[in-house]
Amino acid sequence: MILFSKRSVIHPEDKTDLIYWTKKWRVNVRQINDAILETGSVKLKDIKNVLRRKGELGSFSLWLYKIFKVSK
């Protein structure tokens, strides 16, 4: 019996799945689709790495840094 299953892929054809990841990562569907096209992969790890590299996905402290850097 499997008690915990960690997902490893995103299903771009499934709107519920896309909504989940856009909310979790605080990005939009286009950013996820662009990352899928860039990597040629639907693996969460690959997509997340592309979003992070582009600065579209980051930590709360990175978000704060961007806000205060722009406002100065």
Side-chain angles (χ1 to χ4, degrees):
M1 180 173 155
I2 298 173
L3 296 175
F4 181 77
S5 174
K6 186 172 181 180
R7 297 187 47 196
S8 61
V9 297
I10 189 169
H11 298 279
E13 71 284 353
D14 182 1
K15 290 188 187 282
T16 306
D17 201 34
L18 281 176
I19 290 169
Y20 172 79
W21 291 109
T22 57
K23 288 181 180 180
K24 181 174 175 82
W25 290 339
R26 295 184 176 143
V27 296
N28 60 43
V29 174
R30 182 175 181 140
Q31 290 169 311
I32 290 176
N33 286 333
D34 288 347
I36 290 170
L37 290 173
E38 186 172 325
T39 62
S41 171
V42 291
K43 292 182 181 177
L44 290 172
K45 182 180 173 183
D46 296 338
I47 296 166
K48 191 172 184 178
N49 286 337
V50 168
L51 293 172
R52 188 173 285 136
R53 187 181 73 235
K54 288 182 170 185
E56 296 169 349
L57 177 71
S59 65
F60 181 70
S61 59
L62 177 63
W63 179 75
L64 283 175
Y65 172 77
K66 287 181 179 181
I67 287 176
F68 289 114
K69 183 179 175 188
V70 171
S71 65
K72 288 184 179 180

